[in-house]
Amino acid sequence: MKERLQQIREEARKQIGEAGTLDALNDVRVSFLGKKGALTAVLKSMKEVAAEERPRIGQLVNETREEIERLMEDAKGKMEQALREKRLKAEVIDVTLPAKKNQLGHRHPNTIALEEIERIFIGMGYEVVEGPEVEKDYYNFEALNIPADHPAKDEQDTFYVNGDILLRTQTSPVQVRVMEQGKLPIRMIAPGRVFRADEVDATHSPSFHQIEGLVVDKNITFSDLKGTLAQFAKELFGEETKVKFRPHHFPFTEPSAEVDVSCFKCKGSGCRFCKGSGWIEILGCGMVHPHVFEMCGIDPNEYTGFAFGIGLERISLLKYEIDDMRLLYENDVRFLQQF
Ligand code: DAH
């Protein structure tokens, strides 16, 4: 029995030494210590051993088992260590590789221009308000003194939702909505999206943005309008900018004007930007028409005011020297990155 145990011990040591994988090692364990294993067989044959011999042989069996288990543990530990090292080597990271650059978002030229315009008017004490993009005919046209047969009301120019509801063609209806509330005086700008049934080209889009302005108070005169817009132009385009008021017509203002600024590119001598004229048109404006005041419940004998409407895209195209409006709507990151 003693020799058999010695034999088992040596055989196990040999096989453990030769086992190349964790699976092979497990097979070795089963063949010695498992239910049908060699050592288990020895235990089963204990009854053949003389009674006085049993404790000694029993102890020997235990020692053999412990030794086999220890050898297995050692071998297993070494194998796992080797596997770990192999994996770590395979997973090495090359820290000298160039990093992937994250594409950062950019503010849109329209957003930059609008924030600049808002900053200027807020500095002059104006409030920023908003109105709905889906608007009633009444606010978009009627209350603004635009007659039923005005060409702007034609379906060729205006997107109608139904007979009475439309996509606003201008931000001017916000004037009416603010005046209707009856809180005077008023100093506000109303930026927002407007819609017109226009074909897309370098200077047109069916959807663009305007910034409406409205001031209503006692004793507001055309001089206030001129001074305000001249100051606005200087802050936006530079101190040396000159403004020119050209008589014009808008149904909701009287008198009305269009405002040109001296070309900030050529300083007035004529270039590609100002199409050789030295001047660039930037907005429409005028004194609020008495009819509009009356429709909003404001007494035109007591109050006067001025209004203006700025095309936002026009300003961002000019300010950032972009020559095609379509670029503003494509949102190509390579384009937006430049601002
Ligand atoms: N609503 C006009 C347009 O879309 C622009 C405009 C002109 C607005 C004169 C005004 C104004 O408030 O006084 O063409």
Side-chain angles (χ1 to χ4, degrees):
M1 192 64 83
K2 228 172 120 185
E3 276 111 68
R4 174 75 188 122
L5 283 171
Q6 184 60 29
Q7 218 180 8
I8 288 176
R9 202 182 281 215
E10 262 152 37
E11 187 55 26
R13 183 176 295 148
K14 181 163 163 271
Q15 286 189 22
I16 290 170
E18 283 167 359
T21 65
L22 287 171
D23 280 345
L25 202 58
N26 196 45
D27 290 345
V28 176
R29 193 181 61 78
V30 171
S31 74
F32 286 95
L33 308 178
K35 262 188 207 154
K36 290 178 185 153
L39 198 63
T40 318
V42 172
L43 271 178
K44 278 180 186 156
S45 60
M46 281 289 271
K47 48 186 173 299
E48 291 154 25
V49 176
E52 65 275 17
E53 283 282 290
R54 267 181 217 160
R56 213 171 55 80
I57 298 296
Q59 200 191 345
L60 261 182
V61 171
N62 279 343
E63 281 171 16
T64 308
R65 166 187 296 279
E66 277 162 21
E67 177 166 2
I68 293 175
E69 279 173 349
R70 203 179 54 247
L71 288 170
M72 302 265 313
E73 273 312 302
D74 287 355
K76 200 173 153 206
K78 277 189 197 128
M79 266 179 215
E80 283 173 347
Q81 172 72 14
L83 276 177
R84 207 174 304 129
E85 272 165 20
K86 204 171 143 198
R87 205 179 58 229
L88 282 176
K89 272 205 191 101
E91 285 177 359
V92 157
I93 294 169
D94 182 354
V95 292
T96 65
L97 283 175
K100 275 190 200 144
K101 263 197 194 155
N102 272 343
Q103 286 268 19
L104 277 187
H106 286 263
R107 286 192 309 160
H108 192 278
N110 271 354
T111 309
I112 307 174
L114 175 58
E115 283 176 3
E116 175 69 3
I117 292 167
E118 286 183 345
R119 189 190 62 73
I120 295 169
F121 282 106
I122 288 170
M124 294 196 265
Y126 286 58
E127 228 183 306
V128 180
V129 304
E130 277 180 22
E133 290 172 2
V134 180
E135 187 54 283
K136 289 184 175 153
D137 179 288
Y138 174 79
Y139 288 105
N140 195 79
F141 294 125
E142 202 181 322
L144 287 166
N145 205 30
I146 300 173
D149 60 356
H150 195 281
K153 294 196 68 171
D154 200 304
E155 274 186 42
Q156 284 208 321
D157 296 315
T158 302
F159 291 115
Y160 285 91
V161 176
N162 58 43
D164 221 21
I165 310 287
L166 44 79
L167 301 185
R168 66 178 177 192
T169 61
Q170 48 187 357
T171 44
S172 304
V174 187
Q175 289 187 33
V176 180
R177 288 181 172 276
V178 170
M179 284 193 280
E180 259 185 2
Q181 290 171 7
K183 279 189 228 125
L184 297 165
I186 295 165
R187 265 178 193 73
M188 68 94 177
I189 54 168
R193 190 184 278 276
V194 301
F195 305 85
R196 283 184 203 176
D198 273 331
E199 295 286 342
V200 173
D201 65 25
T203 54
H204 292 85
S205 160
S207 163
F208 54 102
H209 299 78
Q210 290 184 333
I211 300 137
E212 194 74 15
L214 175 69
V215 170
V216 180
D217 204 344
K218 290 176 177 161
N219 304 316
I220 297 289
T221 68
F222 202 90
S223 307
D224 297 311
L225 169 61
K226 281 184 77 176
T228 302
L229 294 179
Q231 180 59 26
F232 163 69
K234 283 185 200 302
E235 286 196 44
L236 191 62
F237 293 113
E239 193 52 39
E240 65 292 342
T241 309
K242 292 191 195 70
V243 288
K244 182 165 78 175
F245 286 71
R246 271 184 295 106
H248 200 78
H249 172 263
F250 296 104
F252 37 89
T253 44
E254 181 61 33
S256 307
E258 276 186 341
V259 173
D260 298 344
V261 292
S262 54
C263 179
F264 52 88
K265 197 79 185 150
C266 64
K267 312 284 174 225
S269 58
C271 70
R272 182 171 73 88
F273 266 89
C274 53
K275 299 199 182 84
S277 75
W279 294 95
I280 297 173
E281 181 206 321
I282 60 160
L283 58 84
C285 63
M287 301 305 290
V288 179
H289 198 294
H291 280 172
V292 175
F293 272 143
E294 277 160 8
M295 271 182 280
C296 298
I298 295 173
D299 182 355
N301 295 315
E302 199 183 343
Y303 284 93
T304 50
F306 65 80
F308 54 88
I310 307 167
L312 179 59
E313 277 78 358
R314 212 180 151 69
I315 303 286
S316 34
L317 294 181
L318 285 172
K319 224 172 142 50
Y320 304 110
E321 303 185 13
I322 303 163
D323 57 11
D324 191 324
M325 197 172 178
R326 286 168 287 201
L327 289 166
L328 291 178
Y329 304 114
E330 286 164 358
N331 287 330
D332 185 327
V333 194
R334 291 166 301 179
F335 167 75
L336 294 177
Q337 264 169 353
Q338 302 170 55
F339 306 98

